[in-house]
Amino acid sequence: MTNARPHKPKTGRGVAPKPLRKKPLPAGRPREWYISHNRRLKAMRLAIALMDTGVYVPEKATNRKIRATAARVGIHPPSNTTCRLVRELIRDEMS
């Protein structure tokens, strides 16, 4: 039996990992597709941020709490539609 620890890459405390390189979106799609795509990305970032703060139940994710989280994370305030999508993502994640 060894006391070896599993290898963990050193990122330092308080240092965020490098973001993935962004690829351009495919050309030629209808405008609604791009709007929907960006809305889903924004909702996913907000759902992750909310779950990181301990909000695991959609009923606890009010529009006010979602918008406050967006301000804290540095995302533009989401629309009512995006807030609804955030709650759906949290609901799907918990089922």
Side-chain angles (χ1 to χ4, degrees):
M1 211 193 288
T2 65
N3 290 340
R5 292 187 197 166
H7 174 68
K8 288 186 182 179
K10 293 185 179 183
T11 57
R13 294 212 173 235
V15 178
K18 291 183 181 178
L20 297 175
R21 208 168 96 177
K22 292 184 180 180
K23 294 187 289 188
L25 292 175
R29 305 249 177 151
R31 178 172 169 74
E32 293 78 26
W33 184 89
Y34 297 102
I35 292 170
S36 172
H37 175 76
N38 288 330
R39 184 182 309 266
R40 287 190 309 260
L41 290 177
K42 183 176 191 175
M44 182 60 73
R45 286 193 304 269
L46 287 169
I48 291 167
L50 280 166
M51 293 176 87
D52 284 346
T53 62
V55 177
Y56 300 109
V57 181
E59 292 76 28
K60 298 283 185 183
T62 62
N63 286 1
R64 175 179 274 182
K65 183 168 273 197
I66 293 170
R67 289 186 176 116
T69 302
R72 187 175 47 81
V73 176
I75 300 174
H76 285 281
S79 66
N80 290 339
T81 304
T82 304
C83 290
R84 238 184 342 267
L85 184 53
V86 169
R87 283 188 286 277
E88 287 177 22
L89 288 170
I90 292 173
R91 181 176 298 113
D92 289 345
E93 192 62 35
M94 297 315 295
S95 50

